[in-house]
Amino acid sequence: MSSARPGLRRSVRQALAVAAVALLAAGAAVTGTETPARAAGYTGPHPGTFTGYGFDTCTAPSDAAMTAWLQSPYRAIGVYIGGVNRGCAQPNLTAAWVSNQQAAGWRLFPLYVGLQAPCSGYSRHIDPAQAAAQGIAAADDAVANAHALGLADGSTLILDIEHYDAGDAACSAAVQTFVSAWTTRLHDQAFYSGLYTSVGSAGLQDQVAVYDKPGYARPDIIDFARWDGVPTVSDPAIPATYWSPGARMKQYQGDHYETWGGVRMNIDSNYLELQDPRRYRSITVERPRPRW
């Protein structure tokens, strides 16, 4: 998911730079894809049940740009709804913008760039002694932002955890505690949990390692980056039965430009294969929601 700040998402780009040759071919393949039919307006949870291409860009595009990009093969867009490490201002990202994109049939995958792994080098990082409390606070903030934008309960909010190296057990434990608290708190507030990471990061390994751990609240969907230019959600780094079926999305091409409808944007390309989590997992919330 693109960012104007070199430290955000660029760590994933560095880890996957070896795929550069494949990206050139992938860009040509996507550009030549037949434009899908325009979808009817949508008002349900995001992204909901969706299979197909999506893109993300650091700043939410204007309404006019989104209309132009209805000529593209993409029908889902990643939007950065908040977090202390979010890299770009969002002048277009308002409740009215969300309503307009829903009316046009776009699906959204909301992204939250919160505290990062304590061993990642980010100055705003998880405190291992406070990881659970910080995960809860991040979920509360993400839900407040989602409500302000008019996103429906039952939407999936995706936590962006950037690259960190394997081999630091305390660091991995802090991230896992944060993610589990994030997921539990989102469920408490009638939302679902997603996690973005890359195949070159300990983030994916750490989530696979605790997938079935008793008491661990794993994310409902996994959003992973492998820049091999292949739009699929299968990957050797993820056991076939994990987050399957219908709970995976892949960022298959990083930082590049595409032009549709006369509008040029710098984007990352994604392929989504998702079922609405409500179809296979229920969450129960007592009203009123706690706000501490």
Side-chain angles (χ1 to χ4, degrees):
M1 286 90 177
S2 300
S3 172
R5 290 180 59 187
L8 287 174
R9 301 283 180 189
R10 304 304 184 189
S11 57
V12 179
R13 289 176 170 77
Q14 292 166 2
L16 300 174
V18 293
V21 175
L23 302 187
L24 297 176
V30 171
T31 302
T33 302
E34 183 178 352
T35 303
R38 180 169 175 168
Y42 179 78
T43 58
H46 287 280
T49 299
F50 181 87
T51 297
Y53 292 97
F55 75 95
D56 60 89
T57 189
C58 193
T59 298
S62 66
D63 285 333
M66 292 299 294
T67 298
W69 272 52
L70 287 170
Q71 297 185 32
S72 76
Y74 303 108
R75 284 298 178 269
I77 177 172
V79 291
Y80 291 88
I81 67 169
V84 296
N85 281 305
R86 181 171 67 172
C88 290
Q90 300 291 342
N92 297 320
L93 188 56
T94 64
W97 184 91
V98 168
S99 179
N100 291 341
Q101 306 328 313
Q102 290 184 150
W106 287 98
R107 299 297 182 94
L108 312 180
F109 47 102
L111 299 155
Y112 186 88
V113 194
L115 297 170
Q116 296 298 305
C119 56
S120 65
Y122 288 89
S123 60
R124 291 175 288 193
H125 59 255
I126 299 164
D127 177 353
Q130 299 293 325
Q134 290 175 336
I136 289 170
D140 284 347
D141 185 49
V143 168
N145 293 348
H147 281 153
L149 291 170
L151 296 173
D153 284 3
S155 292
T156 301
L157 309 183
I158 302 171
L159 179 66
D160 176 348
I161 295 291
E162 289 295 320
H163 179 90
Y164 63 98
D165 292 333
D168 187 328
C171 180
S172 293
V175 173
Q176 290 166 337
T177 298
F178 186 97
V179 171
S180 185
W182 155 273
T183 299
T184 299
R185 187 63 159 186
L186 288 183
H187 290 177
D188 288 345
Q189 302 210 53
F191 282 80
Y192 289 95
S193 164
L195 178 72
Y196 169 87
T197 184
S198 81
V199 295
S201 171
L204 182 58
Q205 301 170 37
D206 287 346
Q207 293 305 308
V208 167
V210 293
Y211 185 87
D212 283 325
K213 182 179 178 181
Y216 188 77
R218 66 175 177 264
D220 300 296
I221 73 167
I222 195 73
D223 173 10
F224 66 98
R226 184 188 287 278
W227 292 2
D228 57 3
V230 181
T232 179
V233 296
S234 298
D235 196 274
I238 309 173
T241 58
Y242 288 15
W243 294 287
S244 182
R248 294 185 186 185
M249 54 186 292
K250 175 185 177 183
Q251 187 186 78
Y252 65 87
Q253 183 176 3
D255 197 12
H256 69 287
Y257 285 92
E258 291 187 23
T259 300
W260 297 97
V263 175
R264 186 171 186 253
M265 287 194 229
N266 180 271
I267 67 167
D268 298 329
S269 296
N270 304 266
Y271 189 75
L272 295 76
E273 195 169 287
L274 300 175
Q275 297 176 11
D276 189 325
R278 296 175 302 174
R279 298 177 62 176
Y280 60 85
R281 188 168 188 174
S282 62
I283 50 180
T284 303
V285 179
E286 296 181 3
R287 300 298 198 270
R289 296 190 183 99
R291 295 296 183 188
W292 61 81

